[in-house]
Amino acid sequence: MDIRSMQDDTPDLEAFFPYRLAIAAENFSRNLLDVYGREFGLSREEWRLIYLLAREEQITSLELSNRTTLDRVQVSRASQRLEDKGLITRSVAPEDRRLKLYACTDQGRALFQAIFPKVQARTKEVLDRMTPEGRTALNDGLKALSEAMNERPV
């Protein structure tokens, strides 16, 4: 197959759904990074961990990786930084020494409570630029896509 026939059969990058979805998600995420990153000094990975840990008693390293889409190295590095800041604790799981247990400290929960309303406000600000129908369509589309992805054969 030559380049010309590939160009004819391949949609423009801006029309390619996986690219459009990735760009939209990245732009939305960067918008929120202005809140928790610039104002509070957290990375995207640190924010994801704090978000989960502030709402749970404790979580294993495996659960964190599965629920945040972060790999083990990202979880390890971000959790080390959060522990260094006094925002979380890490310990070895007694029932399976290969796993770590993570928990949010009172300082971490307080930080989460300071950040979360601002993240919610920024999210609302962005979503309010859409029509109510557009927001409903987005929610329905994300739900349908998530369900379709969960149903894919392994």
Side-chain angles (χ1 to χ4, degrees):
M1 182 178 277
D2 67 7
I3 296 293
R4 180 166 301 289
S5 63
M6 283 179 56
Q7 288 173 338
D8 293 341
D9 293 341
T10 307
D12 289 337
L13 186 59
E14 290 76 19
F16 187 51
F17 178 75
Y19 176 79
R20 292 175 47 220
L21 182 63
I23 293 298
E26 180 64 22
N27 286 338
F28 192 83
S29 186
R30 282 186 183 173
N31 195 298
L32 296 180
L33 182 61
D34 281 345
V35 176
Y36 58 77
R38 290 192 182 157
E39 193 169 337
F40 295 95
L42 294 179
S43 70
R44 190 179 319 190
E45 294 82 6
E46 290 169 333
W47 167 245
R48 287 182 189 175
L49 296 185
I50 284 287
Y51 185 93
L52 285 174
L53 292 170
R55 303 172 68 228
E56 303 278 347
E57 201 59 40
Q58 68 181 13
I59 300 178
T60 67
S61 49
L62 184 59
E63 289 175 277
L64 278 178
S65 290
N66 290 338
R67 293 177 64 189
T68 61
T69 69
L70 301 175
D71 63 37
R72 290 188 313 199
V73 172
Q74 290 172 305
V75 168
S76 178
R77 289 180 180 160
S79 63
Q80 180 65 57
R81 291 189 304 268
L82 291 171
E83 186 176 44
D84 291 347
K85 295 175 185 179
L87 301 174
I88 69 165
T89 61
R90 300 184 302 168
S91 59
V92 175
E95 66 282 351
D96 185 347
R97 299 192 55 76
R98 297 171 296 175
L99 295 177
K100 288 200 182 221
L101 295 176
Y102 297 85
C104 210
T105 64
D106 290 342
Q107 182 182 348
R109 281 193 176 79
L111 180 66
F112 173 78
Q113 290 173 350
I115 296 172
F116 187 67
K118 294 179 180 210
V119 169
Q120 278 187 305
R122 177 65 63 89
T123 299
K124 183 179 181 327
E125 177 186 313
V126 171
L127 294 177
D128 281 351
R129 295 180 202 151
M130 300 171 66
T131 65
E133 297 80 12
R135 286 191 302 274
T136 298
L138 176 62
N139 279 324
D140 291 347
L142 289 173
K143 180 181 176 194
L145 180 60
S146 292
E147 289 170 358
M149 294 304 299
N150 288 332
E151 293 174 3
R152 75 173 200 262
V154 179

